[in-house]
């Protein structure tokens, strides 16, 4: 028989749903929640609810934002002729940290993966193609992780984009193959950005 | 300029308050919250609030419970003549997992630590001594972590308990010094329990 009280057990269960958080870490975190003041626990729970209620996808680049259009898309000082396509919003953060990129972004929310049943319809490919109408965009940079799925997605998009007369480039292979873009240091990412080659 | 939307930034900040969760892990977790369904996010936030609202300390052993008295204290099949004193509720879970202990518990919520200003008044020592009135309790087992603070707390409590004619014992030094009770495997903990010696 387990003597953990039901509300505590429920909290441990909820916390262990996070990837990378096992049962033991979740138990530690649950007890930390218990030792918080009522206000701090309320503030944590509120932040979770708020993020869900207030955030939605930017109408243009699909990144999370609490406005109609995110601050990057709304910034008139940025170059609208380049779009950098990334898998995930945290990749936008990673590239912004290099302070070397001044174009726009497009967030795919995944990579093509036929084995897991992820096709172009589940990604924001339609929204990307809609942005390529007109003469504004001159170049689309593929900034997916250098993995099999990332390369396949880049090749797939390049095939759709090149017939439109738009340059399709990808990040240079300065990134160690199989690694995750999110954890690359600033200088590696910068070299990958500046050494990008045409597909 | 950081382009992370404010509600997301707030959530990352709240999550990075957990010890062992750095900014990068908190960011990952925040994006996982974003990719949850509304119901799942609501359920996580609710579990945090619920744990705080519904749980309080057991009137007897001080462990967290949603009832007046916790299931261990309310269980008449357990031996009320032995009390096992632990630092933290998760240590109760650790000892219960050995399935070798059938007595009661008492949770201190800390260890004596004069450098950090933690004295007996901040722990549940008063509540422990109140339980020792009468003839019921014959033995108190000190099950603190085998650290300087744990040993000091055990010695301190033994000095208070022995004049009452009650046996004060402590877990055997089968536990590697400086380690944490929470992470001991079942068999090590069992040997520590059965090899306990009088103080």
């Amino acid at each position: 028989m387990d003597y953990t009280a039901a509300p505590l057990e429920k909290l441990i269960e909820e916390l262990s749903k996070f990837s990378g958080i096992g049962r033991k870490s979740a138990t530690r975190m649950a007890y930390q929640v218990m030792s918080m003041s009522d206000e701090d626990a309320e503030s944590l729970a509120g932040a979770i609810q708020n993020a869900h209620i207030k955030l939605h996808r930017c109408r243009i680049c699909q990144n999370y934002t609490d406005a109609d259009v995110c601050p990057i898309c709304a910034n008139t000082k940025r170059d609208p002729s380049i779009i950098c396509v990334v898998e995930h919003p945290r990749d936008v953060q990673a590239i912004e940290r290099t302070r070397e990129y001044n174009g726009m972004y497009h967030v795919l929310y995944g990579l093509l993966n036929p084995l897991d049943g992820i096709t172009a319809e589940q990604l924001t490919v339609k929204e990307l193609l809609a942005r390529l109408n007109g003469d504004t965009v001159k170049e689309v940079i593929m900034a997916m992780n250098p993995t099999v799925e990332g390369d396949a997605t880049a090749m797939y998009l390049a095939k759709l984009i090149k017939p439109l007369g738009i340059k399709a480039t990808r990040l240079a292979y300065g990134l160690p193959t199989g690694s995750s873009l999110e954890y690359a240091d600033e200088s590696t990412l910068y070299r990958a950005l500046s050494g990008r080659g045409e597909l």
Side-chain angles (χ1 to χ4, degrees), chain A residues 140-151:
Chain A
V140 177
I141 306 174
M142 308 297 165
M144 295 86 187
N145 286 334
T147 57
V148 175
E149 291 82 15
D151 286 348

Side-chain angles (χ1 to χ4, degrees), chain A residues 50-74 89 107 109:
Chain A
N50 250 330
H52 246 261
I53 295 165
K54 293 201 184 147
L55 293 180
H56 48 86
R57 292 184 182 183
C58 166
R59 188 162 52 78
I60 301 173
C61 75
Q62 310 296 320
N63 197 355
Y64 293 125
T65 180
D66 51 357
D68 177 39
V69 167
C70 79
I72 294 180
C73 290
V107 181
Y109 290 98

Side-chain angles (χ1 to χ4, degrees), chain A residues 18 55 79 89 109 179 185:
Chain A
F18 283 107
L55 293 180
D79 183 356
Y109 290 98
S179 68
D185 62 278

